[in-house]
Amino acid sequence: MEPQRLRDLYDRQLRRDARPDGPGCRVERVGDVVRQTGPAHAWNGVLWSALDAGNADRAIAGQIDHYRAEGLPFEWKLYAHDTPADLAGRLVAAGFTAEDPETLMATEAAALPHDVALPAGVELRAVTDEPGVRQVAEVHERAFGTDSSHLERQLLDRLAADPDTVTAVLALADGEPVSAARLELCPGTDFAGLWGGGTVEAWRGRGLYRALVAHRARIAAERGHRYVQVDAADTSRPILQRLGFLTLSTTTPYTYGG
């Protein structure tokens, strides 16, 4: 599929017609904005919008009022192809802060290699319980240097309430967790999302990221999802390009509050 058509499909299935991504979350369409609201540890924010110069500022103010009333910080997930063209500047003027941009990439799950050799002494293990989730969070904190307590709670919630929509995996080197990632399955869509692939510094450059991509893509294909999608950081984008991922757009989180 051509990148433009694939991006249009992504926008329709995962943004405009989005479904809640965790227990206690709700997705609402208010005018030309689609947003998710949930518990404080969930992802809260704007998923999709179709705005113009005449209504953008009013829509932005409406979302600020909504999340203020809920007592929640939130994110406006802005894509490079969203309108109006100056929406980023309008968000900043309204008090949002831009985080690092990422590249939206996707490819057919079945087209990826599904057997990538692991380094000696390394095995992959599915995460199904609280100790495993805690190890995933610990790997992410070591890999990215960020607090992963929200991720830990989100993953525990999903595994308890709807385990068929999420899969997490650890790479263990002689029993020590050194890499972790998760796969979020979106029922009723063609897509599954590859999220959180992180490797501790001493184990980078040994193929663990590629192995975790391949492992999750195989699961996505087996579960009936044609495409896998990634919001890729600059460090992972070249690896994904070599694996055959297409660039669909860029996406930048604009955060408010917190």
Side-chain angles (χ1 to χ4, degrees):
M1 184 176 285
E2 297 176 357
Q4 176 69 50
R5 292 179 60 196
L6 188 54
R7 189 185 77 188
D8 290 345
L9 182 66
Y10 172 88
D11 279 349
R12 176 169 59 83
Q13 291 189 350
L14 295 191
R15 300 183 66 206
R16 192 183 71 196
D17 298 333
R19 301 181 183 189
D21 69 359
C25 296
R26 64 186 188 274
V27 170
E28 304 162 313
R29 180 161 185 165
V30 182
D32 292 316
V33 172
V34 175
R35 69 187 180 211
Q36 175 168 288
T37 309
H41 64 274
W43 185 88
N44 288 280
V46 173
L47 293 154
W48 179 85
S49 65
L51 305 173
D52 57 38
N55 64 9
D57 291 339
R58 184 168 61 253
I60 291 169
Q63 303 318 305
I64 292 173
D65 289 345
H66 167 73
Y67 287 103
R68 275 180 175 166
E70 296 284 340
L72 295 167
F74 74 105
E75 175 184 311
W76 192 300
K77 192 167 174 58
L78 180 67
Y79 291 76
H81 58 284
D82 288 345
T83 57
D86 64 349
L87 184 53
R90 292 172 185 265
L91 291 170
V92 171
F96 287 78
T97 300
E99 306 295 338
D100 292 336
E102 297 176 312
T103 303
L104 173 64
M105 308 182 79
T107 193
E108 292 201 40
L112 290 169
H114 291 166
D115 292 305
V116 174
L118 292 165
V122 175
E123 62 172 340
L124 300 186
R125 181 180 299 172
V127 174
T128 59
D129 56 18
E130 187 170 350
V133 170
R134 190 172 301 113
Q135 288 181 313
V136 169
E138 291 172 356
V139 168
H140 283 205
E141 289 182 351
R142 292 172 61 194
F144 302 119
T146 56
D147 178 27
S148 295
S149 56
H150 280 197
L151 166 63
E152 185 174 349
R153 291 191 63 188
Q154 291 169 16
L155 188 50
L156 285 170
D157 283 354
R158 291 279 290 272
L159 287 172
D162 205 354
D164 290 338
T165 66
V166 64
T167 294
V169 59
L170 284 164
L172 304 172
D174 296 322
E176 177 192 357
V178 294
S179 189
R182 68 189 188 277
L183 170 72
E184 296 190 0
L185 303 152
C186 304
T189 78
D190 293 299
F191 292 90
L194 307 182
W195 297 96
T199 302
V200 301
E201 186 173 1
W203 279 87
R204 292 172 188 165
R206 305 195 198 187
L208 294 183
Y209 182 81
R210 288 187 296 108
L212 291 177
V213 168
H215 176 80
R216 289 174 290 165
R218 177 178 54 78
I219 295 173
E222 290 171 351
R223 301 278 188 91
H225 296 275
R226 183 175 179 183
Y227 302 107
V228 285
Q229 161 266 319
V230 185
D231 288 352
D234 289 344
T235 52
S236 54
R237 185 178 66 248
I239 302 171
L240 295 168
Q241 287 175 330
R242 290 194 293 270
L243 289 171
F245 279 76
L246 300 174
T247 294
L248 308 185
S249 186
T250 59
T251 178
T252 304
Y254 283 78
T255 57
Y256 191 97

